[in-house]
Amino acid sequence: MHLRQKAQQNLSRELFIEIKVDGTIQDVTSNCVNIVGYTKEEMIGYNIKEIFQNNEFGAILDKNQDFEIREITIKDKNNKNIYMSVKRDFIKEDNRKFIYLSMLDITKYKEELNRAKRIVRIFERSNDIICSYNLEGEYRMDYISPSIYKNLGMTIEENKDNPMMPLEVVHPDDYDLHLKKFKGEVDYDQYFETRFKHKDGRYFWFEEYITPVYDEEGKLVAIESIVRNIQKRKELEEKLTYLSYHDTLTGVYNRTYFEKYKNELNKEKNRSVGVIICDLDNLKPINDNLGHEAGDKLLKETARLIQENVGADILVARIGGDEFVILMEDIECKEVKARVNAIIKSIDNYNSCDPEIPIRLSMGYDYNENSIGCMEMIFRNADRNMYRDKHSKKVG
């Protein structure tokens, strides 16, 4: 593909203009006459500042002026103001330097919706998919930008031929909210995070900004939206959330997450609760005599055995250097005891295989049919019982 075509595809805007570094127009797409009233012949060879009567192009053409999208007002051939959203690209081709501009006419947003500030925010956020959806009579897609293919693998024609496409590709969990957008049952001043399905079957997160269009009677007749792919941001958020709530050594939850969940059970959710506290008796001597690498291995093996014996859906957290806690909800007391016995048996089996470092674990548990207002008491009782178990081993 020609470099110029690549730039045009990447910019994905409405009116494309090729300009020399001094501002002289070299080429322009043929739809210029529909947007600004000038033919190609009337624009090529003239300085863009003179054509559009706007000195802001000095800053736009300055490579040292950093911006993503800039909104300007220009004059068309009839000296009428046109509001444009401008994006640029600096290109070097065959030892020739030039500037590529994509300009989107946003006049209709300014005049028909009188929502200047909102439209400015929309275009300044550099969202990729721009679309206009008509809600009068039969639904139809009046406009959708070519970037729909880059984001979701679908063509413009596929979306226009199937007006229900937005509802067909939205994630099932987001369907009801997405439908409300078309019915005017949401607050359009907020933005929406929605998952849409790519043609290859994968779901991606998008951030959507919507401008509603009403008729004279106040009826919702259309929605204009700009949608930005935020998949990488979501993945980063999930990674950061995971790291903030998990112990980096063992992979189980950390004290922060345990305290958060314990607080919910103590104040918001009333459940039957079982708490098991486990303490490694031999971590300090292992660290002192064999080194922290050996101690780390002991911690990881202990966490693995505990998690395996309580189940993947049970909260296991490392809440101290050598201390783990197991938090179970909606459970009977006999099930808590069964989990304790399963852990003890598993550790005995592990130690019977004569491992390089055996696991010495003290355990204590407590159970209560109610969690609200009782979590601190349950935790203290389990901790007290763990120390009794530890003491009994020393005495024995």
Side-chain angles (χ1 to χ4, degrees):
M1 182 181 289
H2 193 277
L3 182 59
R4 188 177 304 164
Q5 291 175 308
K6 287 183 179 179
Q8 181 169 327
Q9 180 179 347
N10 289 336
L11 290 170
S12 184
R13 309 296 285 178
E14 295 292 342
L15 177 62
F16 300 94
I17 306 176
E18 181 182 314
I19 307 168
K20 293 181 180 179
V21 292
D22 65 359
T24 303
I25 297 173
Q26 295 187 117
D27 198 7
V28 62
T29 49
S30 57
N31 62 342
C32 58
V33 68
N34 298 324
I35 298 175
V36 296
Y38 292 101
T39 64
K40 292 180 65 172
E41 293 74 18
E42 291 173 319
M43 295 179 66
I44 294 175
Y46 291 90
N47 192 286
I48 193 168
K49 288 188 284 186
E50 297 174 358
I51 287 285
F52 293 136
Q53 303 176 44
N54 190 305
N55 289 325
E56 288 187 60
F57 281 99
I60 291 174
L61 304 183
D62 185 355
K63 194 171 185 177
N64 295 318
Q65 294 288 330
D66 186 27
F67 69 89
E68 292 184 353
I69 296 177
R70 189 179 188 122
E71 183 187 329
I72 64 171
T73 306
I74 65 172
K75 298 286 186 181
D76 68 3
K77 189 176 181 180
N78 296 318
N79 206 37
K80 180 182 177 182
N81 283 340
I82 298 179
Y83 299 95
M84 305 293 286
S85 179
V86 181
K87 195 169 184 179
R88 70 181 179 186
D89 199 3
F90 294 92
I91 298 175
K92 183 177 181 181
E93 181 184 77
D94 299 328
N95 296 321
R96 190 168 59 91
K97 295 180 180 179
F98 58 93
I99 302 166
Y100 216 63
L101 295 185
S102 73
M103 301 175 63
L104 176 66
D105 182 357
I106 59 171
T107 306
K108 62 179 180 180
Y109 292 97
K110 295 286 187 177
E111 295 177 348
E112 295 176 9
L113 303 180
N114 194 25
R115 297 181 183 272
K117 292 183 180 179
R118 177 177 296 172
I119 299 305
V120 171
R121 290 198 301 269
I122 289 175
F123 285 96
E124 287 181 345
R125 286 190 173 97
S126 300
N127 297 306
D128 293 320
I129 304 173
I130 304 171
C131 60
S132 175
Y133 203 82
N134 191 296
L135 303 175
E136 286 189 291
E138 294 185 0
Y139 289 178
R140 72 174 185 273
M141 185 73 72
D142 283 342
Y143 174 83
I144 189 163
S145 61
S147 53
I148 186 69
Y149 182 81
K150 179 180 179 181
N151 282 277
L152 294 173
M154 304 170 193
T155 65
I156 295 173
E157 291 72 22
E158 284 177 312
N159 278 268
K160 288 191 173 182
D161 291 344
N162 182 6
M164 303 310 293
M165 184 72 76
L167 293 173
E168 292 177 4
V169 300
V170 72
H171 192 281
D173 292 344
D174 303 328
Y175 180 88
D176 290 339
L177 175 60
H178 199 58
L179 184 61
K180 289 179 180 179
K181 300 174 191 174
F182 292 87
K183 294 182 177 180
E185 298 175 353
V186 295
D187 178 7
Y188 292 112
D189 286 330
Q190 65 175 317
Y191 69 87
F192 305 89
E193 292 186 353
T194 311
R195 288 160 288 184
F196 290 110
K197 185 166 66 175
H198 192 279
K199 202 170 184 178
D200 64 10
R202 293 176 297 164
Y203 281 98
F204 293 96
W205 279 100
F206 290 86
E207 189 173 70
E208 188 175 8
Y209 296 82
I210 299 177
T211 300
V213 182
Y214 301 96
D215 62 15
E216 294 179 356
E217 298 177 355
K219 178 184 176 183
L220 181 67
V221 295
I223 54 175
E224 312 278 354
S225 67
I226 294 184
V227 187
R228 176 175 56 192
N229 189 317
I230 58 169
Q231 182 65 24
K232 289 184 179 180
R233 191 184 83 189
K234 278 291 183 179
E235 290 172 357
L236 178 60
E237 288 176 356
E238 290 174 3
K239 182 178 180 180
L240 292 175
T241 298
Y242 179 89
L243 292 174
S244 66
Y245 285 145
H246 285 78
D247 176 49
T248 55
L249 177 65
T250 63
V252 299
Y253 287 106
N254 58 21
R255 187 173 196 115
T256 300
Y257 185 81
F258 170 72
E259 293 294 343
K260 173 180 175 293
Y261 204 82
K262 184 179 75 170
N263 188 56
E264 290 178 5
L265 289 170
N266 195 59
K267 296 182 178 180
E268 301 172 16
K269 301 188 298 185
N270 193 35
R271 303 282 193 273
S272 59
V273 170
V275 172
I276 305 172
I277 294 181
C278 311
D279 190 88
L280 271 170
D281 299 327
N282 56 334
L283 180 61
K284 187 178 187 306
I286 291 297
N287 282 334
D288 292 343
N289 298 318
L290 300 179
H292 285 277
E293 185 176 344
D296 289 348
K297 182 179 178 181
L298 177 65
L299 284 164
K300 287 190 279 189
E301 284 296 295
T302 303
R304 179 183 64 82
L305 288 173
I306 291 174
Q307 191 75 76
E308 285 179 357
N309 283 279
V310 299
D313 57 335
I314 298 297
L315 191 158
V316 177
R318 183 184 175 200
I319 59 173
D322 54 5
E323 194 170 24
F324 295 88
V325 64
I326 305 162
L327 178 59
M328 296 163 282
E329 60 177 297
D330 289 327
I331 196 168
E332 296 181 1
C333 186
K334 62 181 181 180
E335 294 179 74
V336 180
K337 294 179 182 178
R339 298 281 166 76
V340 171
N341 292 331
I343 295 171
I344 293 173
K345 182 178 179 181
S346 180
I347 290 175
D348 288 342
N349 291 337
Y350 177 83
N351 290 335
S352 68
C353 296
D354 195 25
E356 182 180 352
I357 305 174
I359 297 174
R360 309 298 180 199
L361 196 68
S362 295
M363 300 175 63
Y365 74 91
D366 193 37
Y367 171 84
N368 201 294
E369 293 184 352
N370 298 290
S371 62
I372 289 183
C374 301
M375 290 304 300
E376 293 298 334
M377 176 194 70
I378 299 170
F379 185 84
R380 283 196 306 270
N381 289 342
D383 194 50
R384 188 180 300 114
N385 291 333
M386 181 274 294
Y387 277 106
R388 285 175 180 168
D389 183 43
K390 187 184 292 286
H391 181 70
S392 68
K393 291 175 182 176
K394 291 179 180 180
V395 173

